[in-house]
Amino acid sequence: MPASTEAPMTMGAVSAVPAPDSRMAPGGPGYRRMSFALFLAGVATFALLYSTQALLPLISGDFGVAASDASWTVAAATGGLALFVLPMSALSERYGRRTVMTGSLAVAVIVGLLVPLAPSLPVLVALRALQGAALAGLPAAATAYLAEEVRPKALVTAIGLFVAGNSVGGMSGRVITGWVAQEWGWRVALGVIGAIAVGCAVAFRLLLPAPKHFVAGSLKPRVLVRTVRAHLSNPLMCRLYAIGALFMTVFGGVYTVIGYRLTQAPFDLPQGVVGSIFLVYLVGTVSASTAGRLVGRLGRRGALYAAGATTAAGLVLSLADSLVLVLLGLVLITGGFFAGHACASSAVSKTATEGRAQASALYQSAYYIGSSAGSTVGALAFHAAGWAGTVGVGLLAVLGVVTITVLGTRAARAQQRLLVA
């Protein structure tokens, strides 16, 4: 009898010990390599995606077109990405996150070396659309890779570092193109960005650890449609998608048009100086990488309110005819945008328990649709009403963010009351 009672106790003690979590965490093996690899992928993605944005006044002058026409070199790239991010996510479910990210970067950098050779605006726009479609594999797979390979408590920070790479890429691409274009023209500037992206792509492939927790899914259209429908029927997911799109509408409109404003009276800045204005992206690097702490203090909805208020304050400040106030406004817009984007995108990854790649892809699709809309509508508003028109579009988008967050807060409180009852 003693022996028979002792065995179950031993078995119970063994079974009570939880299996160790083998996913990556800060300070653990592979985490730094993974973080730096995805940081470089973010740099390459945004440097290529928005490589023409700081050069729009020069492209307008070279091809003899208006701002609204030249803005299509930005809108086509982000639109191509928005259209292909969902198919790329399906490929990543079947063939692996790292494989799809590597292939996407390879195609994008090859197209990036062809972009400076475009003989006309239509050809340039077509190449940019192809480049955006190629880049779709990065955002489609990166957050899904992180959700699978990083421990949940470190997920917001890890995604924030990837978003920080986006901000560095966006900043460096615009600053470098601004100064290079001032001396040698916009074509040489785009060639330099293409070469930098090649280096980032090679380093990314060499550094990114092989996935250990990926489980291949199905490429059957029926399965994909069912997964997408499930995400779109989730009210929280839909709110997060809309928030990402609206934040990017502000950001896309502001940074597409700001070059035109600063090269005109009363500022009359040279192209190199206008490119350097994008150094304010460093604010985005900081705000994105610290988004996890902001969510920890204020909660997700509190962080979104803070990001929206910061962005709106920046838009209002940017109306001044003082360069100092315009720069301060850009700092606030950039900080608010990147904080809001990091909060919303990480919330999508946390909320999705199945079909993470599709959940992330839908967010990225909405996000880049917002970018295309912001670039186009912001440029049209600038043509019709000047900078005040672009700011008006941005404020309407921020109002949308706040409204959606308020509705989410009310829905959460109503659900809590039902649970208590």
Side-chain angles (χ1 to χ4, degrees):
M1 289 294 291
S4 64
T5 55
E6 184 176 334
M9 291 175 64
T10 305
M11 290 176 62
V14 172
S15 63
V17 177
D21 193 338
S22 60
R23 289 174 291 184
M24 288 181 281
Y31 185 84
R32 286 187 178 180
R33 284 182 56 205
M34 177 275 298
S35 297
F36 188 51
L38 287 174
F39 178 85
L40 290 176
V43 169
T45 299
F46 259 48
L48 290 171
L49 192 63
Y50 293 101
S51 57
T52 62
Q53 197 169 58
L55 305 173
L56 292 179
L58 295 179
I59 293 172
S60 289
D62 193 11
F63 291 125
V65 297
S68 56
D69 296 321
S71 69
W72 279 103
T73 64
V74 179
T78 54
L81 192 153
L83 288 174
F84 279 83
V85 70
L86 190 57
M88 286 292 192
S89 75
L91 290 177
S92 80
E93 291 279 11
R94 180 65 182 86
Y95 298 107
R97 320 302 186 193
R98 190 170 69 161
T99 300
V100 168
M101 288 189 283
T102 301
S104 291
L105 268 182
V107 174
V109 297
I110 291 171
V111 176
L113 297 176
L114 297 175
V115 164
L117 306 177
S120 64
L121 183 63
V123 173
L124 178 59
V125 170
L127 285 173
R128 294 282 292 149
L130 177 60
Q131 191 173 48
L135 285 170
L138 261 296
T143 51
Y145 174 93
L146 289 169
E148 291 164 351
E149 305 298 328
V150 175
R151 295 180 189 178
K153 289 185 178 180
L155 183 59
V156 176
T157 300
I159 290 178
L161 288 171
F162 175 62
V163 174
N166 293 344
S167 70
V168 169
M171 175 205 69
S172 59
R174 291 163 171 92
V175 172
I176 291 169
T177 56
W179 284 107
V180 173
Q182 183 171 299
E183 297 296 327
W184 296 288
W186 63 269
R187 294 180 186 274
V188 174
L190 291 179
V192 170
I193 293 300
I196 292 172
V198 169
C200 288
V202 172
F204 162 79
R205 184 61 182 84
L206 293 175
L207 290 172
L208 188 69
K212 296 180 179 179
H213 301 276
F214 169 73
V215 178
S218 173
L219 270 178
K220 294 179 180 178
R222 184 175 65 255
V223 176
L224 178 61
V225 169
R226 185 169 63 245
T227 303
V228 170
R229 186 183 297 128
H231 290 318
L232 291 179
S233 64
N234 184 328
L236 173 57
M237 285 292 203
C238 289
R239 288 195 295 269
L240 293 171
Y241 297 153
I243 286 170
L246 289 168
F247 265 123
M248 196 54 169
T249 298
V250 181
F251 199 68
V254 165
Y255 278 101
T256 295
V257 175
I258 192 65
Y260 290 97
R261 188 188 184 204
L262 295 179
T263 54
Q264 297 175 1
F267 305 109
D268 296 314
L269 298 180
Q271 185 65 43
V273 175
V274 170
S276 296
I277 296 299
F278 292 94
L279 284 168
V280 297
Y281 261 53
L282 289 172
V283 176
T285 305
V286 175
S287 66
S289 59
T290 58
R293 278 180 282 177
L294 184 65
V295 172
R297 289 182 179 180
L298 303 177
R300 184 180 69 246
R301 285 184 288 272
L304 288 173
Y305 285 131
T310 302
T311 304
L315 287 166
V316 173
L317 270 181
S318 72
L319 289 168
D321 286 336
S322 163
L323 184 58
V324 172
L325 292 180
V326 170
L327 290 177
L328 179 58
L330 289 176
V331 166
L332 294 176
I333 292 167
T334 305
F337 161 73
F338 275 104
H341 169 40
C343 290
S345 60
S346 60
V348 168
S349 296
K350 278 191 169 183
T351 303
T353 55
E354 296 180 357
R356 285 194 178 100
Q358 282 74 43
S360 174
L362 287 169
Y363 175 82
Q364 296 292 338
S365 183
Y367 174 81
Y368 286 108
I369 287 172
S371 178
S372 294
S375 299
T376 304
V377 177
L380 289 171
F382 180 76
H383 181 73
W387 181 250
T390 304
V391 168
V393 171
L395 288 174
L396 284 174
V398 172
L399 179 61
V401 169
V402 173
T403 302
I404 291 169
T405 308
V406 168
L407 292 175
T409 302
R410 290 180 177 176
R413 288 175 178 172
Q415 187 173 13
Q416 287 177 350
R417 285 194 296 269
L418 287 173
L419 292 174
V420 171

